[in-house]
Amino acid sequence: MPSNKSVSDAPIIQFTNCRILRSHRLQREDLWVREGKILNPEKLFFDEKGSADIQLDCKDSIIAPGFIDVQINGGFGVDFSLATDDFKSGIDLVSQKILSHGVTSFCPTLVTSPPSVYHQVLPQISIRNGGAHGAGILGAHLEGPFISKEKKGAHPEHCLRTFEAGAFQDLLATYGSLDCVRIVTLAPEMKRSSEVIQELTKRGICVSLGHSVANLSQAEEAVQHGATFITHLFNAMLPFHHRDPGIVGLLTSDKIPAGRRVFYGMISDGIHTNPAALRIAHRAHPRGLVLVTDAIAGMGLAPGRHTLGQQVVEIDGLNTYIAGTKTLSGSVATMDTCVRHFQEATGCSVETALEAASLHAAQLLGIEHKKGTLNYDSDADFLMLNDGLYVQATYIAGEEVWRQDELGM
């Protein structure tokens, strides 16, 4: 049947012989793409009388939405918390390299830093679409400095701050600008944090609870004021206790406002969280789990000494520590590794593992109408994977931006 170009002259691509993750299950059907969007084939056939210009045989691959990493501190020698003259080329390098790990969008993350670093770095982060140049940037994730001294983890203590009388103004003065900020991690037990959470939420910024000694009622109050995320669950917070489960208790709290879902990040690298803890969290609240890498500059590099903001860190195998200590400091895991480990550790379905790295992050950020899904009219950001969940090819806006070569290199 000839193409009818009355709607658009852009070519229509039909991906055949594949299993598409749609509506929470793998479905054996074709994927149709035009002008960077996913097409409804029924409309194409019946309204436009159109057909494909190009057909691609996917050789029985899984097609899943592109991964979204909302907590990544850097990688491949680049540290997002260091103000350097070539910061932009550094962020470009990371966004290009993570394509091979299936990440099509991300939130560059800054750990606790002096105000001068935020003032220099944040103006250099711009929200942008992905493409052949690299994964899209959804906005910055600022993890600190308004966090607990007791649970600072790898964050430098001398840079930590509290909220003073003009709490939100303190935050603005520290960061300099919120123009490109998408997520702020703070400790909800801090005085005046409620007004800060409300102000950030009003501006469409996601508030995450983390690096905190908050009890459950403080965490619930923060959610009632607008917080929707928990930064790397179990790490840098009070351990679960049966009489006061702390922030972890939000997973099964009955004080969450109606219609609101609390999401939580998990570093599924086999180091940060025991597989049993991963299983407990997943079984308690499966629809809130968001896989994050928390990757640092040393991701993709050989073991040795690297940086995480103001700190020197040491990589030993898959472990990353503040140099000279046993304090964990981010990870060197890639997102595709986290997906495979999560599936193996929990025994969850392939669909569940893939949605934890895509759909849930998009829902957290309120962009699920265009990212994290393969629904009609959404952005054609997707991956081809084999049954072992190894990425074979990455597509952004319907264009191939990375492919595993035939030698498996």
Side-chain angles (χ1 to χ4, degrees):
M1 170 196 315
S3 292
N4 176 338
K5 295 294 187 180
S6 60
V7 173
S8 168
D9 285 334
I12 296 164
I13 307 169
Q14 177 187 7
F15 295 82
T16 67
N17 188 16
C18 52
R19 291 159 290 154
I20 301 172
L21 176 55
R22 188 178 277 151
S23 304
H24 315 298
R25 62 190 181 90
L26 288 177
Q27 308 189 28
R28 191 164 279 287
E29 54 185 74
D30 294 351
L31 186 76
W32 299 75
V33 173
R34 176 173 61 196
E35 289 186 316
K37 300 284 182 190
I38 291 166
L39 279 182
N40 180 342
E42 284 194 9
K43 279 190 180 172
L44 175 67
F45 300 149
F46 297 116
D47 299 352
E48 297 183 41
K49 309 286 189 286
S51 65
D53 297 292
I54 302 161
Q55 281 189 322
L56 292 175
D57 181 350
C58 301
K59 299 178 180 165
D60 203 37
S61 294
I62 292 168
I63 291 191
F67 298 151
I68 299 170
D69 194 351
V70 299
Q71 188 175 7
I72 171 172
N73 310 292
F76 315 100
V78 175
D79 185 340
F80 298 147
S81 304
L82 285 184
T84 56
D85 294 339
D86 59 351
F87 182 85
K88 281 190 173 166
S89 60
I91 210 164
D92 289 348
L93 175 75
V94 174
S95 65
Q96 219 282 316
K97 291 268 198 183
I98 57 180
L99 295 175
S100 65
H101 300 292
V103 177
T104 53
S105 305
F106 71 109
C107 294
T109 304
L110 278 72
V111 295
T112 295
S113 303
S116 59
V117 168
Y118 297 115
H119 294 197
Q120 282 176 269
V121 167
L122 290 180
Q124 299 188 71
I125 296 176
S126 44
I127 294 167
R128 68 183 188 204
N129 293 327
H133 59 274
I137 296 174
L138 300 170
H141 177 170
L142 305 181
E143 189 187 358
F146 301 99
I147 58 173
S148 156
K149 190 162 68 171
E150 291 84 354
K151 291 291 175 187
K152 65 183 186 297
H155 292 236
E157 189 171 325
H158 70 278
C159 295
L160 298 182
R161 299 173 78 87
T162 53
F163 295 121
E164 302 307 323
F168 189 68
Q169 292 309 313
D170 286 349
L171 179 138
L172 276 178
T174 301
Y175 295 147
S177 163
L178 293 173
D179 289 350
C180 69
V181 176
R182 202 56 187 268
I183 304 174
V184 171
T185 293
L186 52 77
E189 71 275 15
M190 289 187 132
K191 282 183 184 157
R192 307 184 184 86
S193 65
S194 293
E195 59 188 270
V196 172
I197 292 169
Q198 287 172 308
E199 285 294 334
L200 288 169
T201 305
K202 241 190 260 178
R203 288 162 170 75
I205 293 169
C206 163
V207 175
S208 189
L209 312 179
H211 288 276
S212 162
V213 292
N215 60 33
L216 179 56
S217 63
Q218 289 168 324
E220 288 170 334
E221 189 185 342
V223 170
Q224 284 150 13
H225 285 115
T228 53
F229 195 39
I230 303 170
T231 296
H232 45 51
L233 186 77
F234 297 124
N235 295 112
M237 60 187 61
L238 290 179
F240 178 89
H241 189 280
H242 56 285
R243 278 193 291 277
D244 190 338
I247 289 177
V248 177
L250 288 175
L251 272 60
T252 54
S253 168
D254 57 1
K255 305 268 191 322
I256 307 298
R260 178 91 57 81
R261 191 188 316 176
V262 173
F263 293 89
Y264 58 98
M266 295 222 68
I267 310 165
S268 170
D269 61 352
I271 304 287
H272 277 77
T273 313
N274 185 285
L278 201 50
R279 287 191 285 276
I280 287 170
H282 175 247
R283 288 174 194 174
H285 184 27
R287 290 171 61 239
L289 195 149
V290 176
L291 292 177
V292 298
T293 61
D294 199 19
I296 63 168
M299 175 181 69
L301 302 181
R305 291 199 160 205
H306 301 282
T307 65
L308 176 59
Q310 311 298 302
Q311 311 266 44
V312 176
V313 299
E314 219 152 355
I315 298 176
D316 175 13
L318 284 176
N319 293 289
T320 61
Y321 303 113
I322 293 179
T325 76
K326 286 295 174 191
T327 301
L328 285 176
S329 54
S331 87
V332 287
T334 57
M335 185 58 93
D336 54 327
T337 307
C338 290
V339 170
R340 290 190 295 271
H341 177 73
F342 171 59
Q343 201 222 348
E344 192 183 327
T346 61
C348 70
S349 67
V350 163
E351 293 93 333
T352 297
L354 293 168
E355 286 187 344
S358 54
L359 176 63
H360 296 175
Q363 290 170 329
L364 165 71
L365 297 175
I367 55 172
E368 70 273 23
H369 57 292
K370 52 182 185 176
K371 304 277 186 199
T373 167
L374 298 179
N375 292 343
Y376 303 138
D377 299 322
S378 60
D379 294 350
D381 296 357
F382 59 89
L383 313 174
M384 285 186 197
L385 306 107
N386 64 19
D387 286 353
L389 300 186
Y390 286 87
V391 181
Q392 298 171 314
T394 304
Y395 285 76
I396 292 182
E399 287 188 35
E400 183 181 292
V401 293
W402 180 84
R403 174 170 289 277
Q404 182 85 3
D405 67 27
E406 296 304 319
L407 298 171
M409 298 295 281

